[in-house]
Amino acid sequence: MRLATVRHGYGTRAAVGDDSGWVLFGEADAQELFSDPDWRERAEAALGQEGRVDLAETAFANPVPRPAKIFCCGLNYRDHIVETGRAVPEFPTLFAKFADTLTGATDAIVVHDTERLDWEAELVVVVGSEVHRADRESASAAILGYTVANDISMRDWQQRTLQWLQGKAFDATTPIGPWVVTADDVEPRDGLRITCDVNGELVQDADTAGMVFDAADLIAYVSQMTTLRPGDLVLAGTPGGVALGMDEPRWLRDGDVVTTAIEGIGALRNIIRFE
């Protein structure tokens, strides 16, 4: 099952869909919909009826617009760890983002004051129920589903200090979507192909089985320090192939089109614009 936030008229609506199309709901977005304890029964009932609609690629907004917490895991794919010259970590390397950092699946990424703009294809874990100090089993049960992100990074800002946040938190620079695929339909631990291309050139090509810490590991670990609630997000890191790891980095430029995809989940397509 897919959960989406779609642009509709002068606002947005929640939508539930599958390969046969979409059903619109009265809630303003997917996060509002899945906050209802009865959302799954409502969604399954709606999908069992006629009246599906087709939606254009550009209709999909950020499916989870109000996460209270966004955690990101750096250095979580072995090939990316190798290209950065670091050791495999014993514990997840975490940093945070803010809701203002997120944007939609086909929205333009508008940036400024950076000369070293990089791509990072990532799996996003979406929390569906409250979880605190969880073991792996409880953490896995708390996962609503998964979506796609690209952690567009200002490497010159990121490398000003030892703290990464300033290069990762510019407004509206992390596209996610186009929808959330529920956890009963997909299992990243089994290995889903994750790719990123720039203007049609494949720059990242890996699978999610290469993560050092999988989705349940990350949710369980983060929940030891803070309570996670429905709509909170964990970005699970990027594989090798980023510009930063190249001998002669090819940084993103104005007009570049970045396409980010994860098998069985979906794809983003974003144009880069410099102010």
Side-chain angles (χ1 to χ4, degrees):
M1 185 187 305
R2 300 169 186 165
L3 308 176
T5 299
V6 299
R7 299 179 174 99
H8 184 78
Y10 293 101
T12 60
R13 295 269 296 276
V16 174
D18 54 24
D19 290 338
S20 299
W22 295 90
V23 179
L24 301 183
F25 283 75
E27 285 85 354
D29 53 63
Q31 186 172 352
E32 183 180 341
L33 175 63
F34 66 70
S35 295
D36 176 3
D38 299 323
W39 76 264
R40 188 176 292 273
E41 290 77 9
R42 293 172 58 202
E44 290 174 348
L47 291 177
Q49 300 173 0
E50 297 181 356
R52 305 293 182 90
V53 296
D54 294 325
L55 296 171
E57 180 185 63
T58 54
F60 294 96
N62 173 3
V64 189
R66 295 176 309 282
K69 296 169 184 172
I70 306 171
F71 281 89
C72 306
C73 183
L75 305 174
N76 197 29
Y77 283 78
R78 288 174 176 83
D79 57 351
H80 180 51
I81 295 168
V82 169
E83 73 180 355
T84 62
R86 302 178 184 231
V88 175
E90 181 180 0
F91 303 105
T93 302
L94 298 177
F95 60 94
K97 283 185 179 285
F98 310 105
D100 285 341
T101 313
L102 305 179
T103 192
T106 59
D107 294 342
I109 308 298
V110 182
V111 299
H112 59 91
D113 297 330
T114 181
E115 296 180 356
R116 301 177 67 191
L117 191 67
D118 206 348
W119 56 83
E120 292 193 7
E122 304 212 11
L123 174 76
V124 183
V125 188
V126 183
V127 176
S129 59
E130 185 171 309
V131 56
H132 179 60
R133 299 182 67 180
D135 57 18
R136 270 188 58 89
E137 182 178 359
S138 298
S140 181
I143 296 172
L144 171 72
Y146 304 94
T147 189
V148 184
N150 199 309
D151 180 19
I152 301 293
S153 300
M154 294 68 179
R155 299 298 193 189
D156 37 6
W157 282 75
Q158 180 183 344
Q159 295 181 326
R160 288 180 175 184
T161 71
L162 295 177
Q163 301 300 319
W164 296 354
L165 174 65
Q166 58 198 347
K168 301 282 192 173
F170 277 49
D171 286 350
T173 56
T174 302
I176 73 168
W179 44 69
V180 177
V181 175
T182 52
D184 54 346
D185 278 354
V186 66
E187 177 47 78
R189 188 173 61 251
D190 294 338
L192 307 175
R193 188 184 184 198
I194 177 171
T195 61
C196 179
D197 73 59
V198 180
N199 301 329
E201 176 189 353
L202 189 65
V203 290
Q204 290 183 285
D205 190 357
D207 71 72
T208 54
M211 292 189 293
V212 177
F213 306 102
D214 69 12
D217 290 333
L218 292 173
I219 296 298
Y221 185 78
V222 172
S223 79
Q224 303 307 309
M225 66 180 99
T226 185
T227 302
L228 294 172
R229 296 182 172 87
D232 287 345
L233 306 176
V234 177
L235 279 66
T238 196
V242 299
L244 183 66
M246 298 177 176
D247 292 334
E248 297 182 7
R250 183 264 194 247
W251 306 112
L252 291 169
R253 298 182 289 267
D254 185 72
D256 283 345
V257 176
V258 181
T259 303
T260 315
I262 300 180
E263 175 189 7
I265 300 179
L268 317 173
R269 187 178 185 276
N270 305 95
I271 189 168
I272 303 297
R273 292 296 187 201
F274 279 75
E275 290 184 325

